[in-house]
Amino acid sequence: MKEFARLDRLPPYVFATVNEIKMDARRAGKDIIDLGMGNPDIGTPPHIVEKLVEAAQKPHNHRYSASMGIPKLRLAIANWYKRRFDVDIDPDTETVVTIGVKEGMSHLVLVTIRPGDVVFTPNPTYPIHPYSAIISGGDVRGIPLAPGTDFFENLLNATRQTWPRPKILIISFPHNPTTEVVDPAFFEKIVAFAKEHNIMVIHDFAYADLVFDGYTAPSFMQVDGARDVGVEFFSLSKSYSMPGWRVGFCVGNRDVIAALRRIKSYLDYGIFQPIQIASIIALNGPQDCVEEIRSTYKARRDALVNGLSRIGWDIPSPKGTMFVWGKIPDKYIHMGSVEFAKFLIREADVAVSPGLGFGEYGDEYVRFALIENNMRINQAVRGIRKVL
C-alpha cells in the first residue's frame, strides 16, 4: 500500500518547505507578506459573477455537462481568437474546454506519450510542464532558459544530443517564472523546427493579456503551419481573475484536440455548466475589465521593481506575466534559492518562491508574485531593505 508507482518519480515539493516556515511564522504572530504562490487576489469582474449566480439558479444547469465544453462556449472561444489574433478556429473540431490548463495539459500528455518518450521543456519552468510528462512515464530534458542565453540555440543543441528524439516540446510565453517574452519570428522558427523533427508543440498561453510597456504577446496559432504541429492552451484565471473557477481551453491541431476530447470523455463530465455560461460572458462581454486587471499588475510591478532598485537590488522590469524574477544579490547567492527564501521569511517577513522549485537552472533566482496591493508591496520592500 505504500508503493505508488506514479509518485516514485516525483521529487519532494520544494515549495512545501518554504510554506511550512511561512505558516510557522504566521502562527507565531508575524505579519508575513506573501509574494510566493501566484494566486491572484483581484476579484472576478462583477458581470461574470452575476451571470454565474443567474445560471446557477436554473435547475437544468445542475445536470452533467459536456466534457468537451458546451457548444456556445466553444463558439465564444473561436470568436475570441478571431477578434484577438485574426485566427480562424473551428469550434467543433479544433477546440476543447478544459478544467484549467493544468488538467488539460496533464491529460493531453498522458494520452500522447508512452513510457520512455522524451519531452522537452524549458528549465526553469512552471512545474506541471515537466511533471505532466514524468507522471505519464516519460523522460524530461530541460532546455536552459535564462536572460542572455539563446533558448532556440539551446533547443537545437539538446535535440542533437538526445536519443530517442523528443516527442513533445512544451513552451509558454510570456513565461512563468522567468517572465521571458518572444516575437512571432520565434514561433516561426519553432514551427519549422517541429516539422523538421516531427515534434508536437504545446504552447501554454496563460499570460496572453498580462503584458506591459507596449508589448503584445503573439499567439502560437498566428504562425503559418502552427496547427500542423501543435496546440495552444489558454486560461481565464489571469486575464479575467478567475483562478478558482478552473476554466481553460485548448485549440489547434484537430487530431490532437480529438485525442484530448476522447481521453476527457472517460475522465470527467466537464465543468459545472453555470461556470461555462459565465465564461461565455467573460469572453464575449466588455473587455475593459481585462485592461483594469493588467493596469493593476503593472502598478504593482513598478512598485516592486522600483522599490527594490532604490535599496540596491536591481531587477529587470518584466514585459509580461504577474511575476518578477530576481537574481539573488551577490552577497547571498551562495545560499541558494531555498535558503535565501527562508532567510527572507525569518528576517524580512516576506515570502517568495525559490527558483529551484522551477528547475535546477533557477536556483540563483527567486520569484515574486504580484498578489499584494501597492501598500503591502512597499512594506515588503522596507522589510527586505533591513536585511540587504
Coordinates of all heavy atoms in Angstrom, one line a residue, residues 9-48:
R9 N 8.6 8.8 -8.9 CA 9.5 9.7 -9.7 C 9.3 11.2 -9.4 O 10.0 12.0 -10.1 CB 9.3 9.4 -11.2 CG 9.6 8.0 -11.7 CD 9.4 7.8 -13.1 NE 10.3 8.7 -13.9 CZ 10.0 9.1 -15.1 NH1 8.9 8.8 -15.7 NH2 10.9 9.9 -15.8
L10 N 8.4 11.5 -8.5 CA 8.2 12.9 -8.2 C 9.1 13.3 -7.0 O 9.1 12.6 -6.0 CB 6.7 13.2 -7.9 CG 5.7 13.0 -9.0 CD1 4.3 13.2 -8.5 CD2 6.0 13.9 -10.2
P11 N 9.9 14.3 -7.2 CA 10.8 14.8 -6.1 C 10.0 15.4 -5.0 O 8.8 15.8 -5.2 CB 11.7 15.8 -6.8 CG 10.8 16.4 -7.9 CD 10.0 15.2 -8.4
P12 N 10.6 15.6 -3.8 CA 9.9 16.4 -2.8 C 9.5 17.8 -3.3 O 10.3 18.4 -4.1 CB 11.0 16.5 -1.7 CG 11.9 15.3 -1.9 CD 11.9 15.1 -3.4
Y13 N 8.4 18.3 -2.8 CA 7.9 19.5 -3.3 C 8.7 20.7 -2.6 O 8.5 20.9 -1.4 CB 6.4 19.6 -3.0 CG 5.6 20.7 -3.7 CD1 5.7 20.8 -5.1 CD2 4.9 21.6 -3.1 CE1 5.0 21.7 -5.8 CE2 4.2 22.6 -3.7 CZ 4.2 22.7 -5.1 OH 3.5 23.6 -5.8
V14 N 9.5 21.3 -3.4 CA 10.4 22.4 -2.9 C 9.6 23.5 -2.1 O 10.0 23.9 -1.1 CB 11.3 23.0 -4.0 CG1 12.0 24.2 -3.5 CG2 12.2 21.9 -4.5
F15 N 8.5 23.9 -2.7 CA 7.8 25.0 -2.1 C 7.2 24.6 -0.7 O 6.9 25.5 0.1 CB 6.6 25.4 -3.1 CG 7.1 25.8 -4.4 CD1 6.7 25.1 -5.5 CD2 7.9 26.9 -4.6 CE1 7.1 25.4 -6.8 CE2 8.4 27.2 -5.9 CZ 8.0 26.5 -7.0
A16 N 7.0 23.3 -0.5 CA 6.4 22.9 0.8 C 7.3 23.3 2.0 O 6.8 23.7 3.0 CB 6.1 21.4 0.8
T17 N 8.6 23.2 1.8 CA 9.5 23.6 2.9 C 9.4 25.1 3.3 O 9.3 25.4 4.4 CB 10.9 23.3 2.5 OG1 11.0 21.9 2.1 CG2 11.9 23.6 3.6
V18 N 9.3 25.9 2.2 CA 9.2 27.3 2.5 C 7.8 27.7 3.0 O 7.7 28.5 4.0 CB 9.5 28.1 1.2 CG1 9.3 29.6 1.4 CG2 10.9 27.8 0.6
N19 N 6.8 27.0 2.5 CA 5.5 27.3 3.0 C 5.3 26.9 4.5 O 4.6 27.6 5.3 CB 4.4 26.5 2.2 CG 4.2 27.1 0.9 OD1 4.5 28.3 0.6 ND2 3.7 26.3 -0.1
E20 N 6.0 25.9 4.9 CA 5.9 25.5 6.3 C 6.5 26.5 7.2 O 6.0 26.8 8.3 CB 6.6 24.1 6.5 CG 6.5 23.5 7.9 CD 7.2 22.2 8.0 OE1 7.5 21.6 7.0 OE2 7.4 21.7 9.2
I21 N 7.7 27.1 6.8 CA 8.3 28.1 7.6 C 7.4 29.4 7.6 O 7.3 30.0 8.7 CB 9.7 28.4 7.0 CG1 10.6 27.2 7.2 CG2 10.3 29.7 7.7 CD1 12.0 27.4 6.6
K22 N 6.8 29.7 6.5 CA 5.9 30.8 6.4 C 4.7 30.7 7.4 O 4.4 31.6 8.2 CB 5.4 31.0 5.0 CG 4.3 32.1 4.9 CD 3.8 32.1 3.5 CE 2.8 30.9 3.2 NZ 2.2 30.9 1.9
M23 N 4.1 29.5 7.4 CA 3.0 29.2 8.3 C 3.4 29.2 9.8 O 2.7 29.7 10.7 CB 2.3 27.9 8.0 CG 1.7 27.9 6.6 SD 0.6 29.3 6.2 CE -0.6 29.1 7.5
D24 N 4.6 28.7 10.1 CA 5.1 28.8 11.4 C 5.3 30.2 11.9 O 4.9 30.5 13.1 CB 6.5 28.0 11.5 CG 6.3 26.5 11.5 OD1 5.2 26.0 11.7 OD2 7.3 25.8 11.2
A25 N 5.8 31.1 11.0 CA 6.0 32.5 11.4 C 4.6 33.1 11.6 O 4.5 33.9 12.6 CB 6.7 33.2 10.3
R26 N 3.6 32.8 10.8 CA 2.3 33.4 11.0 C 1.7 32.9 12.3 O 1.0 33.7 13.0 CB 1.4 33.1 9.8 CG 1.8 34.0 8.6 CD 0.9 33.7 7.4 NE 1.0 34.7 6.4 CZ 0.5 34.7 5.2 NH1 -0.2 33.6 4.8 NH2 0.6 35.7 4.3
R27 N 1.8 31.6 12.6 CA 1.3 31.1 13.9 C 2.0 31.8 15.1 O 1.4 31.9 16.1 CB 1.5 29.6 13.9 CG 0.4 28.9 13.1 CD 0.5 27.4 13.4 NE 1.6 26.7 12.8 CZ 1.7 26.2 11.6 NH1 0.6 26.2 10.8 NH2 2.8 25.6 11.2
A28 N 3.2 32.3 14.9 CA 3.9 33.0 15.9 C 3.5 34.4 16.0 O 4.1 35.2 16.8 CB 5.4 32.8 15.8
G29 N 2.6 34.9 15.2 CA 2.1 36.2 15.2 C 2.8 37.2 14.3 O 2.5 38.4 14.3
K30 N 3.7 36.7 13.4 CA 4.4 37.6 12.5 C 3.5 37.9 11.3 O 2.7 37.1 10.8 CB 5.7 37.0 12.0 CG 6.7 36.8 13.2 CD 8.0 36.3 12.7 CE 8.8 37.4 12.1 NZ 10.2 37.0 11.8
D31 N 3.6 39.1 10.8 CA 2.8 39.6 9.6 C 3.7 39.3 8.4 O 4.5 40.1 8.0 CB 2.5 41.1 9.7 CG 1.7 41.6 8.5 OD1 1.1 40.7 7.7 OD2 1.7 42.8 8.2
I32 N 3.5 38.1 7.8 CA 4.3 37.8 6.6 C 3.6 38.2 5.3 O 2.4 37.9 5.1 CB 4.5 36.2 6.5 CG1 5.1 35.7 7.8 CG2 5.3 35.9 5.3 CD1 6.5 36.3 8.1
I33 N 4.3 39.0 4.5 CA 3.7 39.5 3.2 C 4.0 38.4 2.2 O 5.2 38.1 1.9 CB 4.4 40.8 2.8 CG1 4.1 41.9 3.9 CG2 3.9 41.2 1.5 CD1 4.8 43.2 3.7
D34 N 3.0 37.8 1.7 CA 3.2 36.6 0.9 C 3.2 37.0 -0.6 O 2.2 37.2 -1.2 CB 2.0 35.6 1.1 CG 2.3 34.2 0.5 OD1 3.3 34.1 -0.2 OD2 1.5 33.3 0.7
L35 N 4.4 36.9 -1.2 CA 4.6 37.2 -2.6 C 5.1 35.9 -3.3 O 5.8 35.9 -4.3 CB 5.6 38.3 -2.9 CG 5.3 39.6 -2.2 CD1 6.4 40.6 -2.5 CD2 4.0 40.2 -2.7
G36 N 4.6 34.7 -2.7 CA 5.1 33.4 -3.1 C 4.2 32.8 -4.2 O 4.4 33.0 -5.4
M37 N 3.1 32.2 -3.7 CA 2.3 31.5 -4.7 C 1.5 32.5 -5.6 O 1.0 33.5 -5.1 CB 1.2 30.7 -3.9 CG 0.3 29.8 -4.8 SD -0.8 28.8 -3.8 CE -1.8 28.1 -5.1
G38 N 1.5 32.2 -6.9 CA 0.8 33.0 -7.9 C -0.7 32.9 -7.9 O -1.3 32.5 -8.8
N39 N -1.3 33.2 -6.7 CA -2.7 33.1 -6.6 C -3.4 34.5 -6.6 O -3.4 35.2 -5.6 CB -3.0 32.4 -5.2 CG -4.4 32.0 -5.1 OD1 -5.3 32.1 -6.0 ND2 -4.8 31.3 -4.0
P40 N -4.0 34.9 -7.7 CA -4.5 36.2 -7.9 C -5.4 36.6 -6.8 O -6.3 35.8 -6.4 CB -5.2 36.2 -9.2 CG -4.5 35.1 -10.0 CD -4.1 34.1 -9.0
D41 N -5.3 37.8 -6.3 CA -6.1 38.4 -5.2 C -7.2 39.3 -5.7 O -8.1 39.7 -5.0 CB -5.3 39.1 -4.2 CG -4.7 40.4 -4.8 OD1 -4.1 40.3 -5.9 OD2 -4.7 41.5 -4.2
I42 N -7.2 39.6 -7.0 CA -8.2 40.5 -7.6 C -9.5 39.8 -7.8 O -9.5 38.6 -8.3 CB -7.7 41.1 -8.9 CG1 -6.3 41.8 -8.7 CG2 -8.7 42.0 -9.5 CD1 -5.6 42.2 -10.0
G43 N -10.6 40.3 -7.4 CA -11.9 39.7 -7.5 C -12.3 39.5 -9.0 O -11.9 40.3 -9.8
T44 N -13.0 38.5 -9.3 CA -13.6 38.3 -10.6 C -14.5 39.5 -10.9 O -15.3 39.9 -10.1 CB -14.3 37.0 -10.7 OG1 -13.5 35.9 -10.3 CG2 -14.8 36.7 -12.1
P45 N -14.5 40.0 -12.2 CA -15.4 41.1 -12.5 C -16.8 40.8 -12.2 O -17.3 39.7 -12.5 CB -15.1 41.3 -14.0 CG -13.7 40.9 -14.2 CD -13.5 39.7 -13.2
P46 N -17.6 41.8 -11.7 CA -19.0 41.6 -11.2 C -19.9 41.0 -12.3 O -20.8 40.2 -12.0 CB -19.4 43.0 -10.7 CG -18.1 43.7 -10.4 CD -17.1 43.2 -11.3
H47 N -19.8 41.4 -13.5 CA -20.7 41.0 -14.5 C -20.6 39.5 -14.8 O -21.6 38.8 -15.2 CB -20.6 41.8 -15.8 CG -19.3 41.5 -16.6 ND1 -18.1 42.1 -16.2 CD2 -19.1 40.8 -17.7 CE1 -17.2 41.7 -17.1 NE2 -17.7 40.9 -18.0
I48 N -19.4 38.9 -14.6 CA -19.2 37.5 -14.8 C -19.8 36.7 -13.6 O -20.4 35.7 -13.7 CB -17.7 37.2 -14.9 CG1 -17.1 38.0 -16.1 CG2 -17.4 35.7 -15.0 CD1 -15.6 37.9 -16.2

